[in-house]
């Protein structure tokens, strides 16, 4: 019976608690038992807090017995990606650099969930400082995909996707700089919600890129994402990037359907710019037919190619990430893992003009997307190129070498929702993503709910093996080209006061040509008065 409780949706559990048919303490105990039984192979949690969880559950139960629940999250467990502060607990970012970084207060999102009566179970695995992975040279091992332990679970909110899919927690917080909520949602088969930029406070969340970061929920269903988003959305005057925009009731019209809506299909991103797997393309075609059957009009639209968004996102992200970590990289580079250094060190060599050009181009790309959204209600494309890749075969170069389908929505700062749209031949989830206008979260959730309700994918959960496969060796190094040592070391010393060792210089020599190629694609003939993007303009 306790096992069954772990597969209730948030909405189902909330109804049981409100009717006093379900005890928050019993629910929390069921999740803690399942974590103890299953997470030894999944490794989705880096820290479980059973005493605090049970104390919060007892308090919630006592409050509900007196006055009823204060909302649908009262007594419902949740967990945090380990870049969110929770008072009294370390916020490690999955890095040796922050093992002793104990939070003095809750992040704003954490505080809002607790204020809603939700029960915190602990901290979840991430990729180091949310930059990407997997990486085996960190204090904690990478989380494993519950559908196949040898496959990548997506990232950087890897533990969040794994824990939700495996029934270890009904809802989790993640962050999304270039797809870090939606990629684990895709590869683990959950729903994942990237809000509009500024919709959810990032105060108390370790930053990766000030321009591109977002905080949002992962859950099993669209309705559960709506419940979580309702609790955490809203203006935070202590967060300079927080938008002072009214928050809608995200469930008021959740089940109103999509008859008459216009949806723009960005097919060329996953068929022409780079071709997705045949099962992905077939799943997208089938999804279009489902939307037609629900009464929506689906028309193809054309936007800038994916490479334009990849270049813009990588240049901005690399420069801002390096700026955040520059002092630590100078003083203690060995505290970071290989994958992090590979992806962040190139930011030391991004020039000021290149960074500004990328921000100017960001504004143009965002304006184009908003113009298209004046003609359609939402946009649709695939979330990933296919089923989750084999984790042991992945290399850090992948983030530079292939443009993710998730980057455009971060560049345009639009709300986006990733959903399961079927399963591939290997039995692993496939995924699509809807996006719409800034702060039209209610519309986006309504579209996602209609699609989800018309498809059978939520009835299928992973079967978790009892034993994990062997660990991947620490080094992910493949043969690298012999770098021009003198040029690499001189450039870093001159621009960033960093003296790389041989391994770091070799990483940079491989990574920098990818970033140089992206910098070269940024347009140089923009009008003289074309201003850079900023959060005020893009709202």
């Amino acid at each position: 019976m306790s096992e069954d409780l772990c597969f209730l949706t948030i909405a189902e559990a909330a109804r049981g608690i409100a009717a006093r048919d379900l005890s928050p303490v019993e629910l929390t105990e069921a999740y803690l038992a399942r974590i103890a039984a299953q997470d030894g192979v999944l490794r989705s949690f880096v820290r479980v807090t059973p005493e605090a969880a049970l104390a919060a559950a007892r308090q919630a139960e006592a409050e509900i017995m007196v006055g009823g629940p204060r909302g649908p999250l009262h007594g419902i467990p949740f967990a945090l990606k380990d870049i969110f502060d929770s008072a009294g607990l370390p916020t490690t970012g999955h890095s040796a650099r922050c093992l002793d970084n104990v939070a003095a207060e809750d992040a704003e999102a954490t505080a809002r969930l607790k204020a809603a009566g939700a029960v915190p179970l602990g901290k979840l695995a991430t990729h180091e400082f949310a930059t990407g992975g997997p990486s085996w040279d960190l204090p904690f091992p990478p989380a494993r995909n519950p559908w196949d332990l040898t496959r990548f679970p997506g990232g950087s909110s890897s533990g969040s996707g794994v824990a939700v899919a495996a029934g270890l927690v009904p809802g989790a917080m993640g962050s999304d700089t270039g797809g870090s909520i939606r990629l684990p949602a895709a590869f683990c088969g959950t729903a994942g919600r990237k809000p509009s930029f500024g919709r959810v406070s990032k105060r108390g969340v370790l930053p990766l890129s000030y321009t591109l970061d977002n905080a949002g929920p992962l859950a099993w269903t669209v309705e559960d994402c709506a419940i979580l988003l309702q609790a955490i959305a809203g203006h935070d005057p202590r967060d300079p990037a927080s938008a002072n925009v009214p928050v809608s009731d995200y469930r008021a019209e959740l089940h109103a359907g999509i008859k008459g809506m216009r949806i723009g299909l960005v097919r060329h991103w996953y068929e022409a710019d780079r071709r997705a797997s045949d099962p992905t393309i077939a799943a997208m075609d089938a999804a279009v037919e489902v939307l037609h059957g629900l009464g929506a009009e689906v028309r193809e639209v054309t936007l800038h190619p994916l490479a334009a968004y990849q270049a813009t996102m990588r240049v901005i992200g690399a420069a801002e990430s390096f700026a955040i970590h520059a002092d630590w990289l100078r003083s203690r580079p060995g505290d970071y893992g290989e994958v992090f250094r590979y992806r962040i060190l190139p930011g030391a060599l991004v020039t000021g003009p290149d960074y500004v050009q990328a921000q100017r181009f960001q504004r143009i790309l965002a304006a184009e997307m908003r113009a298209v959204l004046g003609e359609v209600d939402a946009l649709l494309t695939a979330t990933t190129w296919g089923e989750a890749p084999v984790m042991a075969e992945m290399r850090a170069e992948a983030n530079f070498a292939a443009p993710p389908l998730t980057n455009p929505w971060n560049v345009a700062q639009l709300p986006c929702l990733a959903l399961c749209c079927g399963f591939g031949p290997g039995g692993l989830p496939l995924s699509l993503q809807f996006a719409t206008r800034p702060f039209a979260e209610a519309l986006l959730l309504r579209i996602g709910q209609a699609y989800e309700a018309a498809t059978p994918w939520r009835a299928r959960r992973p079967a978790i093996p009892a034993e994990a496969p062997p660990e991947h060796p620490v080094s992910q190094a493949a043969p690298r080209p012999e770098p021009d040592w003198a040029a690499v070391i001189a450039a870093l010393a001159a621009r960033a006061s960093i003296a790389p060792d041989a391994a770091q210089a070799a990483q940079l020599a491989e990574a920098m040509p990818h970033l140089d190629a992206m910098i070269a694609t940024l347009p140089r003939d923009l009008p003289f008065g074309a201003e850079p993007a900023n959060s005020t303009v893009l709202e």
Side-chain angles (χ1 to χ4, degrees), residues 67-98:
R70 69 183 71 136
L73 286 176
H74 204 173
I76 301 292
F78 75 98
L80 297 165
K81 180 179 183 177
D82 197 17
I83 62 171
F84 286 77
D85 282 348
S86 184
L89 296 179
T91 305
T92 73
H94 216 107
S95 177
R97 183 65 185 81
C98 286

PDB file of all heavy atoms in Angstrom, residues 67-98:
ATOM      1  N   GLY A  67      -7.735  22.992  10.926  1.00  0.00           N
ATOM      2  CA  GLY A  67      -8.340  23.977  10.030  1.00  0.00           C
ATOM      3  C   GLY A  67      -8.430  23.567   8.583  1.00  0.00           C
ATOM      4  O   GLY A  67      -8.812  24.388   7.730  1.00  0.00           O
ATOM      5  N   GLY A  68      -8.067  22.326   8.248  1.00  0.00           N
ATOM      6  CA  GLY A  68      -8.061  21.911   6.850  1.00  0.00           C
ATOM      7  C   GLY A  68      -6.810  22.410   6.145  1.00  0.00           C
ATOM      8  O   GLY A  68      -6.063  23.246   6.679  1.00  0.00           O
ATOM      9  N   PRO A  69      -6.539  21.911   4.946  1.00  0.00           N
ATOM     10  CA  PRO A  69      -5.328  22.318   4.235  1.00  0.00           C
ATOM     11  C   PRO A  69      -5.409  23.760   3.757  1.00  0.00           C
ATOM     12  O   PRO A  69      -6.464  24.230   3.362  1.00  0.00           O
ATOM     13  CB  PRO A  69      -5.263  21.350   3.051  1.00  0.00           C
ATOM     14  CG  PRO A  69      -6.669  20.918   2.842  1.00  0.00           C
ATOM     15  CD  PRO A  69      -7.326  20.919   4.189  1.00  0.00           C
ATOM     16  N   ARG A  70      -4.261  24.434   3.795  1.00  0.00           N
ATOM     17  CA  ARG A  70      -4.226  25.822   3.314  1.00  0.00           C
ATOM     18  C   ARG A  70      -4.106  25.888   1.802  1.00  0.00           C
ATOM     19  O   ARG A  70      -4.230  26.960   1.205  1.00  0.00           O
ATOM     20  CB  ARG A  70      -3.080  26.575   3.972  1.00  0.00           C
ATOM     21  CG  ARG A  70      -1.692  26.156   3.559  1.00  0.00           C
ATOM     22  CD  ARG A  70      -0.626  26.917   4.330  1.00  0.00           C
ATOM     23  NE  ARG A  70      -0.573  26.495   5.721  1.00  0.00           N
ATOM     24  CZ  ARG A  70       0.578  26.266   6.371  1.00  0.00           C
ATOM     25  NH1 ARG A  70       1.735  26.449   5.777  1.00  0.00           N
ATOM     26  NH2 ARG A  70       0.557  25.858   7.617  1.00  0.00           N
ATOM     27  N   GLY A  71      -3.872  24.761   1.149  1.00  0.00           N
ATOM     28  CA  GLY A  71      -3.769  24.695  -0.299  1.00  0.00           C
ATOM     29  C   GLY A  71      -3.352  23.301  -0.717  1.00  0.00           C
ATOM     30  O   GLY A  71      -3.142  22.413   0.122  1.00  0.00           O
ATOM     31  N   PRO A  72      -3.209  23.055  -2.017  1.00  0.00           N
ATOM     32  CA  PRO A  72      -2.958  21.697  -2.510  1.00  0.00           C
ATOM     33  C   PRO A  72      -1.571  21.145  -2.201  1.00  0.00           C
ATOM     34  O   PRO A  72      -1.342  19.957  -2.409  1.00  0.00           O
ATOM     35  CB  PRO A  72      -3.168  21.830  -4.020  1.00  0.00           C
ATOM     36  CG  PRO A  72      -2.916  23.272  -4.313  1.00  0.00           C
ATOM     37  CD  PRO A  72      -3.399  24.019  -3.112  1.00  0.00           C
ATOM     38  N   LEU A  73      -0.644  21.960  -1.698  1.00  0.00           N
ATOM     39  CA  LEU A  73       0.688  21.449  -1.352  1.00  0.00           C
ATOM     40  C   LEU A  73       0.833  21.171   0.142  1.00  0.00           C
ATOM     41  O   LEU A  73       1.884  20.679   0.572  1.00  0.00           O
ATOM     42  CB  LEU A  73       1.771  22.441  -1.782  1.00  0.00           C
ATOM     43  CG  LEU A  73       2.060  22.507  -3.286  1.00  0.00           C
ATOM     44  CD1 LEU A  73       3.084  23.591  -3.585  1.00  0.00           C
ATOM     45  CD2 LEU A  73       2.556  21.159  -3.802  1.00  0.00           C
ATOM     46  N   HIS A  74      -0.196  21.442   0.926  1.00  0.00           N
ATOM     47  CA  HIS A  74      -0.100  21.257   2.370  1.00  0.00           C
ATOM     48  C   HIS A  74       0.018  19.769   2.690  1.00  0.00           C
ATOM     49  O   HIS A  74      -0.887  18.983   2.428  1.00  0.00           O
ATOM     50  CB  HIS A  74      -1.326  21.856   3.055  1.00  0.00           C
ATOM     51  CG  HIS A  74      -1.084  22.234   4.477  1.00  0.00           C
ATOM     52  ND1 HIS A  74      -2.017  22.911   5.234  1.00  0.00           N
ATOM     53  CD2 HIS A  74      -0.017  22.059   5.310  1.00  0.00           C
ATOM     54  CE1 HIS A  74      -1.543  23.135   6.445  1.00  0.00           C
ATOM     55  NE2 HIS A  74      -0.329  22.616   6.522  1.00  0.00           N
ATOM     56  N   GLY A  75       1.192  19.375   3.221  1.00  0.00           N
ATOM     57  CA  GLY A  75       1.441  17.979   3.545  1.00  0.00           C
ATOM     58  C   GLY A  75       2.053  17.171   2.419  1.00  0.00           C
ATOM     59  O   GLY A  75       2.249  15.962   2.573  1.00  0.00           O
ATOM     60  N   ILE A  76       2.378  17.806   1.305  1.00  0.00           N
ATOM     61  CA  ILE A  76       2.924  17.108   0.131  1.00  0.00           C
ATOM     62  C   ILE A  76       4.458  17.206   0.131  1.00  0.00           C
ATOM     63  O   ILE A  76       5.021  18.306   0.195  1.00  0.00           O
ATOM     64  CB  ILE A  76       2.383  17.713  -1.179  1.00  0.00           C
ATOM     65  CG1 ILE A  76       0.856  17.636  -1.216  1.00  0.00           C
ATOM     66  CG2 ILE A  76       3.015  17.030  -2.382  1.00  0.00           C
ATOM     67  CD1 ILE A  76       0.295  16.234  -1.328  1.00  0.00           C
ATOM     68  N   PRO A  77       5.187  16.101   0.024  1.00  0.00           N
ATOM     69  CA  PRO A  77       6.648  16.147  -0.020  1.00  0.00           C
ATOM     70  C   PRO A  77       7.174  16.767  -1.323  1.00  0.00           C
ATOM     71  O   PRO A  77       6.544  16.696  -2.375  1.00  0.00           O
ATOM     72  CB  PRO A  77       7.052  14.682   0.089  1.00  0.00           C
ATOM     73  CG  PRO A  77       5.889  14.015   0.758  1.00  0.00           C
ATOM     74  CD  PRO A  77       4.684  14.723   0.217  1.00  0.00           C
ATOM     75  N   PHE A  78       8.369  17.353  -1.214  1.00  0.00           N
ATOM     76  CA  PHE A  78       9.086  17.876  -2.376  1.00  0.00           C
ATOM     77  C   PHE A  78      10.576  17.778  -2.091  1.00  0.00           C
ATOM     78  O   PHE A  78      11.005  17.507  -0.961  1.00  0.00           O
ATOM     79  CB  PHE A  78       8.690  19.327  -2.672  1.00  0.00           C
ATOM     80  CG  PHE A  78       9.272  20.340  -1.717  1.00  0.00           C
ATOM     81  CD1 PHE A  78      10.424  21.053  -2.039  1.00  0.00           C
ATOM     82  CD2 PHE A  78       8.686  20.580  -0.472  1.00  0.00           C
ATOM     83  CE1 PHE A  78      10.975  21.972  -1.152  1.00  0.00           C
ATOM     84  CE2 PHE A  78       9.217  21.502   0.417  1.00  0.00           C
ATOM     85  CZ  PHE A  78      10.373  22.208   0.082  1.00  0.00           C
ATOM     86  N   ALA A  79      11.396  17.998  -3.110  1.00  0.00           N
ATOM     87  CA  ALA A  79      12.848  18.012  -2.929  1.00  0.00           C
ATOM     88  C   ALA A  79      13.448  19.092  -3.810  1.00  0.00           C
ATOM     89  O   ALA A  79      12.838  19.535  -4.790  1.00  0.00           O
ATOM     90  CB  ALA A  79      13.449  16.645  -3.246  1.00  0.00           C
ATOM     91  N   LEU A  80      14.676  19.508  -3.470  1.00  0.00           N
ATOM     92  CA  LEU A  80      15.339  20.638  -4.113  1.00  0.00           C
ATOM     93  C   LEU A  80      16.596  20.192  -4.851  1.00  0.00           C
ATOM     94  O   LEU A  80      17.427  19.451  -4.289  1.00  0.00           O
ATOM     95  CB  LEU A  80      15.757  21.673  -3.067  1.00  0.00           C
ATOM     96  CG  LEU A  80      14.664  22.360  -2.251  1.00  0.00           C
ATOM     97  CD1 LEU A  80      15.283  23.057  -1.050  1.00  0.00           C
ATOM     98  CD2 LEU A  80      13.914  23.363  -3.120  1.00  0.00           C
ATOM     99  N   LYS A  81      16.750  20.633  -6.067  1.00  0.00           N
ATOM    100  CA  LYS A  81      18.049  20.553  -6.737  1.00  0.00           C
ATOM    101  C   LYS A  81      19.073  21.241  -5.835  1.00  0.00           C
ATOM    102  O   LYS A  81      18.804  22.311  -5.285  1.00  0.00           O
ATOM    103  CB  LYS A  81      17.949  21.254  -8.089  1.00  0.00           C
ATOM    104  CG  LYS A  81      19.224  21.261  -8.912  1.00  0.00           C
ATOM    105  CD  LYS A  81      18.982  21.963 -10.237  1.00  0.00           C
ATOM    106  CE  LYS A  81      20.197  21.949 -11.127  1.00  0.00           C
ATOM    107  NZ  LYS A  81      19.935  22.569 -12.452  1.00  0.00           N
ATOM    108  N   ASP A  82      20.254  20.659  -5.692  1.00  0.00           N
ATOM    109  CA  ASP A  82      21.193  21.163  -4.699  1.00  0.00           C
ATOM    110  C   ASP A  82      21.950  22.407  -5.160  1.00  0.00           C
ATOM    111  O   ASP A  82      23.161  22.526  -5.000  1.00  0.00           O
ATOM    112  CB  ASP A  82      22.176  20.078  -4.273  1.00  0.00           C
ATOM    113  CG  ASP A  82      22.885  20.427  -2.971  1.00  0.00           C
ATOM    114  OD1 ASP A  82      22.392  21.318  -2.256  1.00  0.00           O
ATOM    115  OD2 ASP A  82      23.939  19.829  -2.690  1.00  0.00           O
ATOM    116  N   ILE A  83      21.183  23.340  -5.753  1.00  0.00           N
ATOM    117  CA  ILE A  83      21.670  24.699  -5.929  1.00  0.00           C
ATOM    118  C   ILE A  83      20.710  25.678  -5.249  1.00  0.00           C
ATOM    119  O   ILE A  83      20.942  26.881  -5.247  1.00  0.00           O
ATOM    120  CB  ILE A  83      21.856  25.083  -7.412  1.00  0.00           C
ATOM    121  CG1 ILE A  83      20.533  25.040  -8.173  1.00  0.00           C
ATOM    122  CG2 ILE A  83      22.883  24.189  -8.072  1.00  0.00           C
ATOM    123  CD1 ILE A  83      20.620  25.615  -9.574  1.00  0.00           C
ATOM    124  N   PHE A  84      19.616  25.143  -4.672  1.00  0.00           N
ATOM    125  CA  PHE A  84      18.633  25.949  -3.943  1.00  0.00           C
ATOM    126  C   PHE A  84      18.985  25.938  -2.460  1.00  0.00           C
ATOM    127  O   PHE A  84      19.175  24.873  -1.870  1.00  0.00           O
ATOM    128  CB  PHE A  84      17.223  25.389  -4.120  1.00  0.00           C
ATOM    129  CG  PHE A  84      16.611  25.631  -5.463  1.00  0.00           C
ATOM    130  CD1 PHE A  84      16.984  24.867  -6.563  1.00  0.00           C
ATOM    131  CD2 PHE A  84      15.645  26.616  -5.645  1.00  0.00           C
ATOM    132  CE1 PHE A  84      16.418  25.078  -7.806  1.00  0.00           C
ATOM    133  CE2 PHE A  84      15.071  26.838  -6.878  1.00  0.00           C
ATOM    134  CZ  PHE A  84      15.452  26.076  -7.971  1.00  0.00           C
ATOM    135  N   ASP A  85      19.037  27.105  -1.859  1.00  0.00           N
ATOM    136  CA  ASP A  85      19.314  27.181  -0.426  1.00  0.00           C
ATOM    137  C   ASP A  85      18.142  26.665   0.391  1.00  0.00           C
ATOM    138  O   ASP A  85      16.975  26.934   0.076  1.00  0.00           O
ATOM    139  CB  ASP A  85      19.578  28.631  -0.015  1.00  0.00           C
ATOM    140  CG  ASP A  85      20.970  29.113  -0.383  1.00  0.00           C
ATOM    141  OD1 ASP A  85      21.820  28.272  -0.744  1.00  0.00           O
ATOM    142  OD2 ASP A  85      21.218  30.334  -0.312  1.00  0.00           O
ATOM    143  N   SER A  86      18.475  25.928   1.452  1.00  0.00           N
ATOM    144  CA  SER A  86      17.529  25.520   2.474  1.00  0.00           C
ATOM    145  C   SER A  86      18.225  25.746   3.797  1.00  0.00           C
ATOM    146  O   SER A  86      19.309  25.187   4.042  1.00  0.00           O
ATOM    147  CB  SER A  86      17.132  24.053   2.307  1.00  0.00           C
ATOM    148  OG  SER A  86      16.136  23.682   3.241  1.00  0.00           O
ATOM    149  N   ALA A  87      17.681  26.606   4.622  1.00  0.00           N
ATOM    150  CA  ALA A  87      18.362  27.074   5.824  1.00  0.00           C
ATOM    151  C   ALA A  87      18.901  25.919   6.660  1.00  0.00           C
ATOM    152  O   ALA A  87      18.179  24.966   6.962  1.00  0.00           O
ATOM    153  CB  ALA A  87      17.408  27.926   6.658  1.00  0.00           C
ATOM    154  N   GLY A  88      20.195  26.022   7.013  1.00  0.00           N
ATOM    155  CA  GLY A  88      20.823  25.022   7.853  1.00  0.00           C
ATOM    156  C   GLY A  88      21.433  23.851   7.116  1.00  0.00           C
ATOM    157  O   GLY A  88      22.127  23.028   7.724  1.00  0.00           O
ATOM    158  N   LEU A  89      21.188  23.756   5.791  1.00  0.00           N
ATOM    159  CA  LEU A  89      21.742  22.662   4.990  1.00  0.00           C
ATOM    160  C   LEU A  89      22.795  23.200   4.024  1.00  0.00           C
ATOM    161  O   LEU A  89      22.695  24.336   3.556  1.00  0.00           O
ATOM    162  CB  LEU A  89      20.638  21.971   4.182  1.00  0.00           C
ATOM    163  CG  LEU A  89      19.544  21.247   4.954  1.00  0.00           C
ATOM    164  CD1 LEU A  89      18.540  20.644   3.977  1.00  0.00           C
ATOM    165  CD2 LEU A  89      20.125  20.162   5.847  1.00  0.00           C
ATOM    166  N   PRO A  90      23.797  22.377   3.683  1.00  0.00           N
ATOM    167  CA  PRO A  90      24.754  22.809   2.670  1.00  0.00           C
ATOM    168  C   PRO A  90      24.083  22.929   1.304  1.00  0.00           C
ATOM    169  O   PRO A  90      23.238  22.104   0.943  1.00  0.00           O
ATOM    170  CB  PRO A  90      25.800  21.684   2.667  1.00  0.00           C
ATOM    171  CG  PRO A  90      25.611  20.955   3.950  1.00  0.00           C
ATOM    172  CD  PRO A  90      24.154  21.070   4.281  1.00  0.00           C
ATOM    173  N   THR A  91      24.448  23.953   0.565  1.00  0.00           N
ATOM    174  CA  THR A  91      24.107  24.075  -0.851  1.00  0.00           C
ATOM    175  C   THR A  91      25.409  23.833  -1.603  1.00  0.00           C
ATOM    176  O   THR A  91      26.235  24.731  -1.734  1.00  0.00           O
ATOM    177  CB  THR A  91      23.540  25.461  -1.183  1.00  0.00           C
ATOM    178  OG1 THR A  91      22.421  25.731  -0.337  1.00  0.00           O
ATOM    179  CG2 THR A  91      23.106  25.540  -2.634  1.00  0.00           C
ATOM    180  N   THR A  92      25.601  22.605  -2.100  1.00  0.00           N
ATOM    181  CA  THR A  92      26.920  22.224  -2.613  1.00  0.00           C
ATOM    182  C   THR A  92      27.092  22.472  -4.100  1.00  0.00           C
ATOM    183  O   THR A  92      28.230  22.542  -4.573  1.00  0.00           O
ATOM    184  CB  THR A  92      27.202  20.737  -2.350  1.00  0.00           C
ATOM    185  OG1 THR A  92      26.410  19.933  -3.240  1.00  0.00           O
ATOM    186  CG2 THR A  92      26.908  20.353  -0.906  1.00  0.00           C
ATOM    187  N   GLY A  93      26.001  22.582  -4.847  1.00  0.00           N
ATOM    188  CA  GLY A  93      26.157  22.641  -6.293  1.00  0.00           C
ATOM    189  C   GLY A  93      26.840  21.410  -6.855  1.00  0.00           C
ATOM    190  O   GLY A  93      27.386  21.440  -7.958  1.00  0.00           O
ATOM    191  N   HIS A  94      26.844  20.304  -6.078  1.00  0.00           N
ATOM    192  CA  HIS A  94      27.475  19.045  -6.489  1.00  0.00           C
ATOM    193  C   HIS A  94      28.981  19.234  -6.707  1.00  0.00           C
ATOM    194  O   HIS A  94      29.597  18.559  -7.539  1.00  0.00           O
ATOM    195  CB  HIS A  94      26.824  18.503  -7.764  1.00  0.00           C
ATOM    196  CG  HIS A  94      26.713  17.006  -7.811  1.00  0.00           C
ATOM    197  ND1 HIS A  94      25.522  16.341  -7.657  1.00  0.00           N
ATOM    198  CD2 HIS A  94      27.619  16.029  -8.004  1.00  0.00           C
ATOM    199  CE1 HIS A  94      25.706  15.036  -7.766  1.00  0.00           C
ATOM    200  NE2 HIS A  94      26.985  14.824  -7.974  1.00  0.00           N
ATOM    201  N   SER A  95      29.572  20.168  -5.973  1.00  0.00           N
ATOM    202  CA  SER A  95      30.970  20.528  -6.201  1.00  0.00           C
ATOM    203  C   SER A  95      31.770  20.473  -4.911  1.00  0.00           C
ATOM    204  O   SER A  95      31.273  20.849  -3.837  1.00  0.00           O
ATOM    205  CB  SER A  95      31.053  21.946  -6.782  1.00  0.00           C
ATOM    206  OG  SER A  95      32.399  22.360  -6.945  1.00  0.00           O
ATOM    207  N   ALA A  96      33.033  20.065  -5.014  1.00  0.00           N
ATOM    208  CA  ALA A  96      33.925  20.103  -3.861  1.00  0.00           C
ATOM    209  C   ALA A  96      34.120  21.526  -3.370  1.00  0.00           C
ATOM    210  O   ALA A  96      34.420  21.750  -2.188  1.00  0.00           O
ATOM    211  CB  ALA A  96      35.271  19.479  -4.224  1.00  0.00           C
ATOM    212  N   ARG A  97      33.918  22.480  -4.261  1.00  0.00           N
ATOM    213  CA  ARG A  97      34.136  23.887  -3.905  1.00  0.00           C
ATOM    214  C   ARG A  97      33.160  24.365  -2.830  1.00  0.00           C
ATOM    215  O   ARG A  97      33.471  25.279  -2.069  1.00  0.00           O
ATOM    216  CB  ARG A  97      33.999  24.767  -5.158  1.00  0.00           C
ATOM    217  CG  ARG A  97      34.276  26.252  -4.934  1.00  0.00           C
ATOM    218  CD  ARG A  97      35.728  26.466  -4.551  1.00  0.00           C
ATOM    219  NE  ARG A  97      36.024  27.851  -4.216  1.00  0.00           N
ATOM    220  CZ  ARG A  97      35.773  28.407  -3.033  1.00  0.00           C
ATOM    221  NH1 ARG A  97      35.167  27.688  -2.087  1.00  0.00           N
ATOM    222  NH2 ARG A  97      36.107  29.655  -2.796  1.00  0.00           N
ATOM    223  N   CYS A  98      31.991  23.753  -2.737  1.00  0.00           N
ATOM    224  CA  CYS A  98      30.948  24.269  -1.844  1.00  0.00           C
ATOM    225  C   CYS A  98      30.441  23.232  -0.842  1.00  0.00           C
ATOM    226  O   CYS A  98      29.308  23.340  -0.357  1.00  0.00           O
ATOM    227  CB  CYS A  98      29.779  24.814  -2.666  1.00  0.00           C
ATOM    228  SG  CYS A  98      30.127  26.396  -3.452  1.00  0.00           S
TER     229      CYS A  98
END
